[in-house]
Amino acid sequence: MISTLSLNDAQSLINYAINWATTNEKTIAVAVVDAAGELIAFNRMDASSPQTCLLAQNKAYTAARDRQKTSDLAKWALSTNKTINFWTDARITGMAGGVPIADAKSLVIGGLGISGMDEFEDEKLAQRSIEYVLSSRREN
């Protein structure tokens, strides 16, 4: 059972996402953080914009710190008339593409953030990456 994210786990998540993006002719940046939102690993493809790089890291940070997908946070903020300033944390983002990473007991052990495509494509790729990498790690 995975209870923490190792550097190897983080690099596997990044490699899966970048391989998918390369195959599909997309350009992305990918960040993996621990449960506190601290960066474990980051990579960007050639031609990734500085904004894309920052967003990937902030999406991962938000997903880990808030323990939910960034798109769910955005929905909640809209439904309660909250602005992003509610969190008093400049790194919190409501853009889709950040997904929490949970262990077998559903405890959040980190976050994965992807940026560079449509934000909901970013989220789908993040979810696929987590499912693929962590399921293969649990089998070993």
Side-chain angles (χ1 to χ4, degrees), residues 78-120:
L78 284 173
S79 72
T80 60
N81 295 317
K82 301 283 191 267
T83 67
I84 209 69
N85 295 331
F86 174 79
W87 287 268
T88 66
D89 185 337
R91 295 189 61 194
I92 296 289
T93 183
M95 291 189 68
V99 177
I101 302 168
D103 67 9
K105 294 181 181 179
S106 299
L107 296 173
V108 173
I109 58 172
L112 174 62
I114 296 178
S115 188
M117 303 179 290
D118 168 84
E119 64 183 291
F120 294 101

Side-chain angles (χ1 to χ4, degrees), residues 33-39 60-62 64-65 67 89 91 108-111:
V33 300
D34 65 16
E38 295 300 321
L39 191 63
Y61 172 87
T62 302
R65 299 281 291 215
R67 308 292 198 250
D89 185 337
R91 295 189 61 194
V108 173
I109 58 172

Side-chain angles (χ1 to χ4, degrees), residues 1-79:
M1 176 181 70
I2 297 173
S3 59
T4 61
L5 285 174
S6 68
L7 178 58
N8 187 53
D9 295 327
Q11 290 172 328
S12 294
L13 288 160
I14 289 170
N15 290 341
Y16 180 90
I18 288 180
N19 286 338
W20 183 92
T22 300
T23 299
N24 290 281
E25 299 180 357
K26 305 288 185 176
T27 302
I28 62 170
V30 187
V32 180
V33 300
D34 65 16
E38 295 300 321
L39 191 63
I40 297 172
F42 170 79
N43 208 333
R44 66 178 184 85
M45 296 173 71
D46 293 341
S48 295
S49 73
Q51 189 62 29
T52 296
C53 296
L54 181 62
L55 277 172
Q57 292 177 53
N58 287 348
K59 288 176 181 185
Y61 172 87
T62 302
R65 299 281 291 215
D66 207 54
R67 308 292 198 250
Q68 65 179 319
K69 294 188 299 186
T70 52
S71 62
D72 289 346
L73 176 65
K75 288 177 198 169
W76 178 83
L78 284 173
S79 72

